Amino acid sequence: MADLGGGVRFFGPGDLRFLKLHFAYEHLGIATKQCQHIFLTPDALKPLSIAAENRSEKDMTNISKEKIENLKSKVKGQIVLPSDSSYDEVRQIWNAMIERRPALIVRCAEADDVPPAIAFARENGLEISIRGAGHNIAGNALCDNGLMIDFSTMRDVRVDAEKKRAYVEPGATLADFDEAAQSHGLATPVGINSTTGIAGLTLGGGFGWLTRKYGMTVDNLISVDAVTADGKRIRASENENADLFWAIRGGGGNFAVVTQFEFKLHEVGPEILAGLIVFPFDEAKQVLTKYREFVKSAPEELNVWAIMRKAPPLPFLAGDVHGKEVVVLVTFYIGDAAQGRKLIEPLLRFGTPHGEHIGTQPYTQWQKAFDPLLTPGARNYWKSHNFTELSDGALNTMIEFAGKLPSPQCEIFIALISGAANRVPENAMAYRHRDPKFVLNVHGRWDERTDDEGCIAWARAFFQASAPYASEGAYVNFMTEEEGDRVAAAYGANYDRLAQIKKEYDPENLFHLNQNIKPLL
Ligand SMILES: Cc1cc2nc3c(=O)[nH]c(=O)nc-3n(C[C@H](O)[C@H](O)[C@H](O)COP(=O)(O)OP(=O)(O)OC[C@H]3O[C@@H](n4cnc5c(N)ncnc54)[C@H](O)[C@@H]3O)c2cc1C
């Protein structure tokens, strides 16, 4: 039994779910505690820990010791092999559904480690996977019997406050980025879970609380340093290799291995106004109908997302609400707090709230508010649609499926994007979804393998039932590994140009472990 402080005791694996919820409310109720205990519980990590005796023969790809030693002499970083004691830990990714075993992992220490890693994979006929922070739901960061380029030890973020620029290594998490930028009162739009990687998020598009005001993450990208499939180190920006820069902004890891991102920064915070309003589930239709009207005229400094899930044990909710289905409006405002409160106040009258908790807090703290609900090690299956509007049919379907959540961790998320993200032309870069106002995330999440079937079936059925109300396209960053047939839809009219650029930069499709864009024939 471990004492986690604050009167919380950890008795065994069965308490894990309670603990996640406990720490969730600490954070959402304006946090004072850290939650590293949860990240480290062996129970959470179990699904990926395969005992040495169970490792299959196919792990042992036929690569000679000499070749490995030769590669070691060319890279500054570490080479991790299946026989190494750190191997299982190093190959962990966020989604425990994904179980793959690379033949070797090159833990890059610097950009110069990438060309020899690519050359090694080519010479030995190995597939290449690339890992930023390993958050992607599809798990393409991990390969079976191939070479994994792992950036998780390259996390440096350098900020030039005068120029309002950040120079970011590809293993940086959103927390690394936010902390460095906020130390100068600066930020750029990124996602809402601080352990997500800046690399994958940016390459697929990227949106979060600041998106209405400052656009998608990718709209704030100034340049990248990258290594191409033939091992060349190049820079891409509006002025240099502009076609590659166009493709990289939304085209995922298809075109090159990015070794540095340069971002534009904006003045944000450091204090922002944010929090939750929790309504009874039987008021869902009324709340969501009013929500969709409200956001049409809300200023871009204000963002409001809607979530339907079972209530965590939040301290501002009565005990009998915990564990019951609720509708949550999540509010975020940058600007004068008194003005923000006035803007948010009408939301409280959308129904008869069970409770609310809205206050000023540091932007970096709010960026971590949802982390305890999104810890690594759980099983996750997501589906997603874009919406230009939330029709009655769409809302009814969401409410119907929120009424039959198959696990306490499953949720339905409606993210509001719109604003600045909608003002960029569709052909300005590979990421082209400039008309959706909302992104729906069907977030299937659970702990036990035995729940796979029920949770996946729920997510698929909901995805199908809500499809008639969705707008075209798809967000590649929310796609599972089985959704390759949605890639063309994700890029729409931009796909042909992407296939042309792919042919130019990666004609052999070396970088294919991703939501793959095939080179034009
Ligand atoms: C809990 C959670 C919350 C999320 N919240 C948001 C959100 O609020 N907003 C949002 O927009 N998205 C969100 N996402 C989606 C997120 O943007 C994607 O999962 C993204 O791919 C994660 O990036 P990563 O670097 O951690 O992933 P990884 O799994 O490491 O990488 C994903 C893919 O990106 C490519 N890649 C990674 N690094 C490089 C590189 N250096 N060079 C070339 N290619 C590379 C590879 O193809 C790789 O397979 C969330 C995901 C999770 C799991």
Side-chain angles (χ1 to χ4, degrees):
M1 182 177 75
D3 188 342
L4 302 182
V8 181
R9 281 167 200 283
F10 179 48
F11 290 90
D15 293 339
L16 190 65
R17 183 170 298 153
F18 165 76
L19 283 169
K20 281 176 183 163
L21 296 178
H22 172 83
F23 284 101
Y25 86 63
E26 287 285 344
H27 273 245
L28 294 169
I30 307 205
T32 53
K33 278 196 178 71
Q34 297 300 311
C35 56
Q36 279 90 335
H37 313 80
I38 302 304
F39 293 142
L40 296 177
T41 52
D43 187 61
L45 301 178
K46 205 158 109 198
L48 283 183
S49 302
I50 300 170
E53 61 273 20
N54 293 334
R55 288 178 187 157
S56 73
E57 282 292 307
K58 69 179 182 141
D59 289 338
M60 302 299 136
T61 305
N62 200 11
I63 302 169
S64 70
K65 223 176 153 196
E66 288 70 32
K67 283 182 174 178
I68 299 280
E69 289 306 317
N70 186 263
L71 176 62
K72 278 186 183 166
S73 72
K74 290 179 180 161
V75 300
K76 200 170 161 201
Q78 199 192 357
I79 309 294
V80 179
L81 300 169
S83 51
D84 290 327
S85 58
S86 61
Y87 176 78
D88 279 337
E89 195 192 327
V90 173
R91 75 187 175 92
Q92 298 274 348
I93 58 169
W94 183 80
N95 186 1
M97 293 280 285
I98 312 292
E99 300 187 44
R100 295 189 197 124
R101 304 180 59 76
L104 75 162
I105 301 169
V106 180
R107 304 200 88 186
C108 298
E110 58 182 21
D112 280 338
D113 287 354
V114 176
I118 292 177
F120 186 90
R122 278 187 175 286
E123 283 156 19
N124 294 285
L126 298 174
E127 289 185 296
I128 295 176
S129 68
I130 312 165
R131 174 194 159 116
H135 246 251
N136 195 274
I137 191 78
N140 285 320
L142 260 189
C143 55
D144 254 334
N145 300 311
L147 183 150
M148 174 170 158
I149 296 177
D150 176 16
F151 285 118
S152 56
T153 52
M154 281 179 67
R155 295 171 55 170
D156 191 51
V157 180
R158 183 168 61 83
V159 174
D160 183 332
E162 213 168 291
K163 288 191 186 151
K164 293 194 177 144
R165 292 283 188 270
Y167 304 87
V168 185
E169 286 192 332
T173 61
L174 306 192
D176 298 328
F177 177 80
D178 285 332
E179 273 155 32
Q182 276 289 281
S183 66
H184 302 278
L186 299 169
T188 216
V190 291
I192 65 146
N193 172 216
S194 82
T195 56
T196 306
I198 207 84
L201 177 111
T202 305
L203 294 170
F207 62 81
W209 302 114
L210 293 170
T211 289
R212 299 196 72 220
K213 180 71 178 165
Y214 296 119
M216 304 287 294
T217 309
V218 84
D219 299 338
N220 292 278
L221 189 64
I222 300 288
S223 74
V224 292
D225 291 349
V227 181
T228 51
D230 56 5
K232 266 200 217 108
R233 289 193 60 182
I234 62 170
R235 172 160 296 178
S237 68
E238 293 282 8
N239 307 316
E240 261 175 291
N241 299 303
D243 53 351
L244 178 63
F245 190 56
W246 182 90
I248 265 180
R249 284 176 292 161
N254 272 286
F255 299 93
V257 182
V258 177
T259 53
Q260 179 176 273
F261 297 84
E262 179 188 1
F263 291 103
K264 177 164 56 178
L265 299 171
H266 311 269
E267 284 174 27
V268 170
E271 294 272 307
I272 52 89
L273 180 73
L276 314 178
I277 310 170
V278 181
F279 295 95
F281 187 61
D282 60 12
E283 293 180 350
K285 185 65 186 291
Q286 157 189 340
V287 170
L288 293 176
T289 308
K290 290 181 178 177
Y291 163 74
R292 82 179 163 199
E293 282 313 304
F294 176 87
V295 298
K296 279 182 190 162
S297 56
E300 290 174 5
E301 289 74 16
L302 179 64
N303 205 336
V304 187
W305 292 16
I307 306 174
M308 282 179 278
R309 60 167 295 132
K310 290 182 194 282
L314 296 160
F316 61 89
L317 297 177
D320 60 352
V321 177
H322 300 169
K324 298 239 172 74
E325 286 85 1
V326 287
V327 187
V328 186
L329 294 183
V330 187
T331 64
F332 171 88
Y333 181 74
I334 41 167
D336 174 65
Q339 175 65 13
R341 280 182 207 280
K342 264 192 225 151
L343 287 164
I344 289 166
E345 199 268 335
L347 299 173
L348 296 166
R349 296 193 299 274
F350 284 7
T352 47
H354 283 310
E356 51 100 358
H357 191 103
I358 296 171
T360 52
Q361 59 180 300
Y363 172 74
T364 47
Q365 183 171 295
W366 177 248
Q367 282 289 91
K368 293 178 179 166
F370 291 88
D371 289 2
L373 294 171
L374 297 166
T375 49
R379 304 177 76 77
N380 290 269
Y381 183 86
W382 291 10
K383 287 284 183 187
S384 168
H385 285 304
N386 292 333
F387 290 88
T388 49
E389 59 175 284
L390 293 175
S391 64
D392 280 344
L395 293 184
N396 291 341
T397 312
M398 291 175 197
I399 294 164
E400 179 195 336
F401 279 84
K404 43 187 181 188
L405 297 168
S407 100
Q409 298 180 65
C410 288
E411 61 187 12
I412 293 175
F413 236 95
I414 305 169
L416 177 66
I417 40 176
S418 67
N422 285 172
R423 286 196 288 275
V424 178
E426 282 189 344
N427 61 359
M429 60 186 79
Y431 180 87
R432 76 180 282 274
H433 301 301
R434 301 306 183 164
D435 58 336
K437 304 266 183 277
F438 305 94
V439 177
L440 167 74
N441 187 358
V442 182
H443 186 182
R445 182 179 165 92
W446 62 100
D447 286 326
E448 302 301 332
R449 198 180 287 263
T450 46
D451 291 333
D452 285 5
E453 203 180 321
C455 291
I456 291 173
W458 170 81
R460 285 185 178 152
F462 176 31
F463 174 73
Q464 220 168 354
S466 50
Y469 312 105
S471 47
E472 57 149 13
Y475 182 37
V476 288
N477 273 350
F478 284 173
M479 278 160 45
T480 55
E481 55 181 333
E482 67 198 12
E483 292 192 290
D485 56 337
R486 291 184 88 199
V487 174
Y491 296 108
N494 288 347
Y495 190 85
D496 289 349
R497 184 171 174 198
L498 284 166
Q500 177 65 49
I501 298 171
K502 177 81 173 172
K503 183 181 172 188
E504 205 179 316
Y505 285 91
D506 184 16
E508 296 160 59
N509 204 3
L510 188 70
F511 305 129
H512 63 269
L513 295 178
N514 42 45
Q515 300 298 351
N516 195 227
I517 296 163
K518 310 259 180 316
L520 197 70
L521 292 174

